[in-house]
Amino acid sequence: MQKIEFLGQFMVIIKGNYFYITGKCAKAGLYFYYDCKEENTMGRRGENIRKRKDGRWEARIIAGYDSGRRAKYHSVYGKSYSEVKAKKNIWLEDRIQTGNISCQDYYARLQVTFEEVCREWLESKRKVIKESSYAHYVHLVQKHLLPELGKRMLASITTEEMNQFLQTKLQTDAVIMSGKQAFRDRTLAVRTAKNGLSPKTVSDIRSVIIQILDFAKDRKYPTGITGKLFFPKSVQPAIRVLNRQEQLLLEEYIFQEQSPFTAGILLALYGGLRIGEICSLKWKDIHLKQGEVRVEKTLLRIQETIPGSEHSSKTKLLLDKPKTANSIRSVPLPGFITEHLKSLMRPPEIYVITGTPSWMEPRTCLDKYKRILKKAGIDDYSFHALRHTFATRCMEMGFDIKSLSEILGHANVNITLQRYVHPSMELKKQQMNRLEQVSIWGRTLGQADGE
């Protein structure tokens, strides 16, 4: 049975009493004879197996390479030559997953760079995921992974190095630049050298790395990353929600103006629609007789990707399906919103917020929304705050959580509770006051207040 071993920068194929050397070695291509008998203190020449002074046998195996491409070794131990040899073979088999590939093929795979694997992985994803998701992957790979890891051999990158890379991204995001790009983006370089990426972005980078490593394993590329990768702790930022007075001011402005654009704001405030969903909405999607709106598309701006070229700085608008399957949904509308929309109704192919056959892109929509907030005398809020406000008001009114989750297009109710529901202090006080019914003293005070 043929056995394959990797030793330094060359390969040894052992069969019977002969071994054959391939790879970067002065004696490559030659056959050598050796004695198969087990020696007292040394294993067979070239196997890197020896008997230690404490009586145990040790086999040393190359596990990867450091940044200077120097070999890093892993040791296995046994009570005899045969035992440690068997452990070494098992470790190698589990480690590199060579299967039945040839020695030359494995050596070629060992030399593959991280960039080469990234590009193969991206190409495998191009036709099986949404274009927006693919553009996001390309952005993360090109901007964050390749500048620091691209030229490294995949087998030389260790778990410790990858974890250090991810931890550093939380602390600083200094982008490697040169020439005109460095001069043009010098302000950005100074800023990013001081401020790290958000935990969410680092988590996305980690997710991409894991997918790339799984892809490499399937392609039988040797890798030195075997342990768990660093996972950044994410703290949900405080999300602002319009209070009752601010919502009243906004509605007064909307109903006075009665424009196509303000109709979009109402659909966010009383339907929980996202900004991209509203920008893509046509009148054919609004069924006034049934009192509901059908959400099937979203409009977003993504990074433009060109096959076989470097990452482009250009962007483009994409009309696509919503982010998840659950986001494709029918949203029932309150009666007063349906009545308001009747006066604004247009032909089926007209976009709702423009009143024309042309769409409005999300960032233009956001700018226009901010101007309306200013005119209405309301503090600055993100457009997504309208969706948060909708979910919060629904909870305050005692909505069924399952129904609300489906209206928002969530996969399960936990997402609704954890991410989008923000009880007001007034509601919290009301809930706490219900404890009066538990306490004798509380019931006494309650009766006194009633008198």
Side-chain angles (χ1 to χ4, degrees):
M1 179 180 178
Q2 192 179 47
K3 298 180 181 180
I4 301 175
E5 307 237 5
F6 173 68
L7 302 171
Q9 293 296 309
F10 59 93
M11 309 289 273
V12 178
I13 304 178
I14 303 174
K15 189 173 183 181
N17 290 75
Y18 294 88
F19 64 89
Y20 175 73
I21 299 180
T22 64
K24 296 182 179 180
C25 177
K27 298 186 181 296
L30 300 179
Y31 282 91
F32 295 86
Y33 177 85
Y34 66 94
D35 187 2
C36 292
K37 294 181 180 179
E38 180 173 319
E39 301 182 25
N40 291 329
T41 59
M42 295 294 293
R44 296 166 186 172
R45 180 174 298 179
E47 288 184 317
N48 222 351
I49 295 177
R50 69 183 182 96
K51 190 173 184 180
R52 295 162 50 95
K53 292 181 179 180
D54 59 8
R56 293 184 300 165
W57 284 80
E58 176 189 11
R60 300 181 71 220
I61 318 159
I62 291 182
Y65 295 87
D66 60 20
S67 56
R69 296 197 174 185
R70 293 185 295 270
K72 300 177 73 172
Y73 290 88
H74 171 80
S75 292
V76 293
Y77 303 93
K79 296 180 180 179
S80 66
Y81 169 88
S82 300
E83 180 182 347
V84 79
K85 176 67 175 177
K87 287 183 177 180
K88 178 183 177 182
N89 288 339
I90 292 172
W91 191 92
L92 282 170
E93 183 178 354
D94 291 341
R95 168 80 171 188
I96 62 180
Q97 296 288 310
T98 56
N100 295 320
I101 65 174
S102 66
C103 171
Q104 292 88 342
D105 191 9
Y106 174 63
Y107 181 75
R109 292 166 188 263
L110 195 68
Q111 307 303 310
V112 71
T113 65
F114 187 74
E115 179 176 2
E116 291 171 331
V117 178
C118 286
R119 296 197 183 282
E120 286 186 32
W121 173 74
L122 285 172
E123 188 58 33
S124 72
K125 287 289 185 181
R126 178 183 290 276
K127 295 182 180 180
V128 297
I129 59 176
K130 290 176 57 180
E131 186 177 354
S132 56
S133 299
Y134 177 77
H136 181 58
Y137 287 161
V138 170
H139 173 73
L140 293 177
V141 168
Q142 293 283 4
K143 183 174 182 180
H144 299 292
L145 296 180
L146 296 190
E148 296 180 49
L149 302 172
K151 302 305 179 185
R152 295 279 303 278
M153 289 189 300
L154 178 63
S156 73
I157 304 174
T158 65
T159 304
E160 292 75 16
E161 289 175 313
M162 191 61 80
N163 283 335
Q164 182 61 42
F165 165 78
L166 292 171
Q167 291 168 6
T168 302
K169 281 292 180 182
L170 276 178
Q171 301 162 5
T172 177
D173 184 31
V175 181
I176 299 174
M177 295 181 290
S178 61
K180 293 182 179 179
Q181 183 187 6
F183 178 78
R184 183 175 66 252
D185 297 337
R186 59 189 181 277
T187 303
L188 175 64
V190 171
R191 178 179 63 79
T192 55
K194 295 179 179 179
N195 304 315
L197 298 175
S198 69
K200 171 63 169 62
T201 302
V202 176
S203 180
D204 287 348
I205 294 173
R206 177 185 183 270
S207 176
V208 167
I209 292 172
I210 290 174
Q211 291 186 62
I212 292 171
L213 293 176
D214 288 341
F215 173 82
K217 183 178 180 181
D218 291 340
R219 292 296 181 93
K220 303 189 185 303
Y221 289 130
T223 172
I225 303 173
T226 57
K228 292 183 178 180
L229 293 182
F230 166 74
F231 186 84
K233 291 183 178 180
S234 180
V235 178
Q236 289 288 345
I239 300 175
R240 298 175 64 211
V241 176
L242 277 72
N243 60 40
R244 299 278 184 140
Q245 181 60 30
E246 290 170 328
Q247 185 171 345
L248 178 62
L249 290 173
L250 181 59
E251 289 182 27
E252 287 178 348
Y253 181 90
I254 289 173
F255 287 111
Q256 286 177 4
E257 181 172 312
Q258 293 196 26
S259 69
F261 182 78
T262 55
I265 295 179
L266 277 179
L267 289 173
L269 192 57
Y270 281 97
L273 274 66
R274 304 177 179 93
I275 187 170
E277 295 169 343
I278 290 174
C279 289
S280 69
L281 211 59
K282 292 183 177 181
W283 277 100
K284 68 178 181 180
D285 301 314
I286 298 181
H287 308 288
L288 296 179
K289 288 184 179 180
Q290 291 80 12
E292 62 184 39
V293 55
R294 180 67 181 170
V295 179
E296 293 182 334
K297 293 184 182 299
T298 186
L299 183 67
L300 67 163
R301 182 169 289 278
I302 66 169
Q303 208 81 28
E304 190 171 9
T305 57
I306 303 173
S309 66
E310 292 297 322
H311 187 46
S312 172
S313 59
K314 296 181 180 179
T315 60
K316 70 174 183 179
L317 281 172
L318 176 66
L319 186 63
D320 201 0
K321 293 180 180 180
K323 57 190 296 186
T324 65
N326 295 89
S327 294
I328 300 175
R329 63 200 188 278
S330 292
V331 178
L333 298 174
F336 73 95
I337 297 295
T338 303
E339 290 299 317
H340 177 75
L341 292 176
K342 286 180 180 179
S343 63
L344 300 170
M345 191 173 179
R346 298 289 188 276
E349 293 301 321
I350 298 299
Y351 283 91
V352 173
I353 64 171
T354 64
T356 71
S358 301
W359 60 38
M360 178 187 295
E361 74 162 288
R363 61 185 180 187
T364 303
C365 176
L366 178 62
D367 291 340
K368 197 167 183 178
Y369 159 75
K370 297 275 184 155
R371 290 196 294 270
I372 287 178
L373 289 183
K374 191 173 182 179
K375 290 178 182 178
I378 302 172
D379 288 342
D380 187 52
Y381 284 93
S382 70
F383 197 94
H384 208 67
L386 299 176
R387 179 173 163 90
H388 293 306
T389 303
F390 166 74
T392 301
R393 295 291 175 265
C394 288
M395 287 298 295
E396 291 173 354
M397 298 298 294
F399 265 51
D400 170 62
I401 189 64
K402 177 62 176 175
S403 299
L404 177 59
S405 179
E406 291 182 0
I407 290 172
L408 290 170
H410 292 159
N412 56 68
V413 296
N414 289 333
I415 298 175
T416 309
L417 289 169
Q418 294 174 6
R419 190 179 302 172
Y420 290 101
V421 180
H422 315 281
S424 65
M425 182 56 69
E426 180 183 353
L427 180 62
K428 292 176 183 177
K429 288 180 178 179
Q430 291 176 4
Q431 298 298 321
M432 293 298 287
N433 286 335
R434 294 172 64 183
L435 293 174
E436 286 183 356
Q437 304 303 318
V438 178
S439 170
I440 296 177
W441 181 248
R443 289 199 298 270
T444 303
L445 284 178
Q447 293 171 0
D449 290 341
E451 296 173 358

